């Protein structure tokens, strides 16, 4: 399907509950909504699987709408395309060493130096035969200090902590420009070009790592391999090859032998 590239309009607010909730409201009144909604903080930031997303002042939170036909072969690729757009944008303002450590953890997180810096939430909206996706991106930007809960201190990082000091507005525009190019010019929702899967796989956080995943209700373990063209993750298990399409995967960290 030929999609019409929207003429984006960037709207900024200091605080909102969730930019994803806001864009969903706009989508329901205009399915061709071209707005990108950005906020300095969110009081009800949401993550995947019903989790909350810590969104204090000093982060970068934004959401954009992508109208769909419903005939796309790879809607699941939207989140991965957004991750690739974020990773490539951050690389442009990072030192070579930091840029080398920017990784995409299938399906929706960006890591720097082994710690999460960004999460992506894609939600589908459907009304009266119209379908659209709300893509929300949250990036930890300024150092969190005391506002970071103890249990997250070893798990998350910020752009400032990694020596990346981008202009917020330019970063948002660059991410959306790259994501729009992937969706509207490279048509990744219908057919993912080989160079796009190669770009994703070369930045994989979990490739070659031992991971845990769910096959239906059954917990399984295996070694993470490549992301496929349909957006699924290939995992090598003791029983053969599995393709994880939904949910998320957890890295298994084994205690080192002393
Ligand atoms: C995750 O880590 O599970 C995904 C987090 C997605 C957070 C972004 S911030 C902008 C948008 N608004 C939200 O409420 N969530 C997304």
């Amino acid at each position: 399907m030929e999609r019409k590239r929207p003429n984006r309009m960037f709207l900024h607010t200091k605080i909102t509950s969730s930019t994803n909730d806001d864009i969903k409201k706009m989508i329901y009144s205009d399915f061709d909504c071209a707005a990108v909604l950005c906020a300095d903080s969110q009081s009800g930031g949401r993550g995947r699987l019903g989790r909350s997303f810590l969104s204090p002042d000093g982060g970068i939170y934004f959401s954009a709408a992508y109208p769909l036909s419903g005939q796309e072969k790879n809607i699941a690729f939207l989140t991965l395309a957004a991750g690739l757009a974020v990773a490539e944008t951050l690389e442009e303002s990072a030192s070579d060493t930091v840029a080398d450590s920017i990784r995409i953890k299938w399906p929706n997180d960006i890591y720097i130096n082994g710690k999460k810096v960004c999460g992506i939430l894609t939600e589908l909206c459907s009304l009266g035969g119209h379908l659209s996706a709300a893509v929300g991106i949250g990036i930890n930007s300024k150092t969190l200090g005391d506002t970071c809960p103890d249990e997250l201190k070893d798990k998350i990082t910020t752009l400032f902590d990694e020596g990346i000091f981008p202009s917020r507005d330019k970063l948002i525009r660059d991410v959306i420009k790259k994501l729009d190019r992937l969706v509207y010019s490279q048509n990744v929702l219908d057919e993912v070009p080989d160079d796009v899967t190669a770009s994703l796989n070369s930045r994989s956080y979990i490739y070659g790592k031992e991971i845990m995943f769910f096959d239906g209700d059954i917990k399984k373990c295996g070694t993470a391999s490549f992301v496929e063209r349909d957006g699924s993750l290939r995992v090598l298990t003791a029983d053969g090859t599995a393709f994880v399409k939904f949910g998320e995967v957890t890295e298994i960290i084994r205690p080192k032998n002393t």
Side-chain angles (χ1 to χ4, degrees), residues 151-216:
E151 65 277 16
L152 293 181
K153 280 200 166 117
D154 293 336
K155 297 192 174 131
I156 63 175
T157 188
T158 67
L159 298 183
F160 279 28
D161 289 335
E162 303 298 336
I164 301 176
F165 306 101
S167 134
R168 182 200 61 196
D169 292 354
K170 180 172 182 322
L171 183 149
I172 293 172
R173 282 172 189 272
D174 286 353
V175 169
I176 294 296
K177 196 166 155 192
K178 287 186 197 325
L179 181 53
D180 282 353
R181 192 181 302 137
L182 284 161
V183 172
Y184 297 105
S185 308
Q186 298 188 264
N187 218 12
V188 295
L189 302 187
D190 286 313
E191 191 80 61
V192 184
D194 287 344
D195 63 316
V196 175
T197 34
S199 294
L200 263 176
N201 282 317
S202 68
R203 293 171 173 82
S204 172
Y205 176 75
I206 46 167
Y207 178 82
K209 289 185 173 157
E210 211 183 336
I211 54 159
M212 196 273 288
F213 64 99
F214 279 93
D215 182 1

Side-chain angles (χ1 to χ4, degrees), residues 18-20 42 45-48 53 63 108 116 119-120 136-138:
S18 154
T19 56
N20 256 39
Q42 298 180 120
R46 295 186 295 102
R48 290 180 88 233
F53 185 78
S63 300
N108 70 311
K116 177 167 168 168
I120 298 162
I137 298 174

Side-chain angles (χ1 to χ4, degrees), residues 10 48 53 73 75-76 161 171 197 237 243 256:
F10 293 79
R48 290 180 88 233
F53 185 78
K73 283 191 262 164
I75 292 181
D161 289 335
L171 183 149
T197 34
T237 72
F243 295 93
K256 290 201 181 85

Side-chain angles (χ1 to χ4, degrees), residues 17-21 42 44-49 51-53 55 60-63 108-109 116 118-121 123 135-139 248:
S17 169
S18 154
T19 56
N20 256 39
D21 290 347
Q42 298 180 120
R46 295 186 295 102
R48 290 180 88 233
L49 310 174
R51 298 188 192 119
S52 60
F53 185 78
S55 310
I60 301 174
Y61 314 102
F62 57 107
S63 300
N108 70 311
D109 290 335
K116 177 167 168 168
C118 164
I120 298 162
L121 174 68
E123 299 178 287
V135 178
I137 298 174
I139 302 175
E248 59 184 18

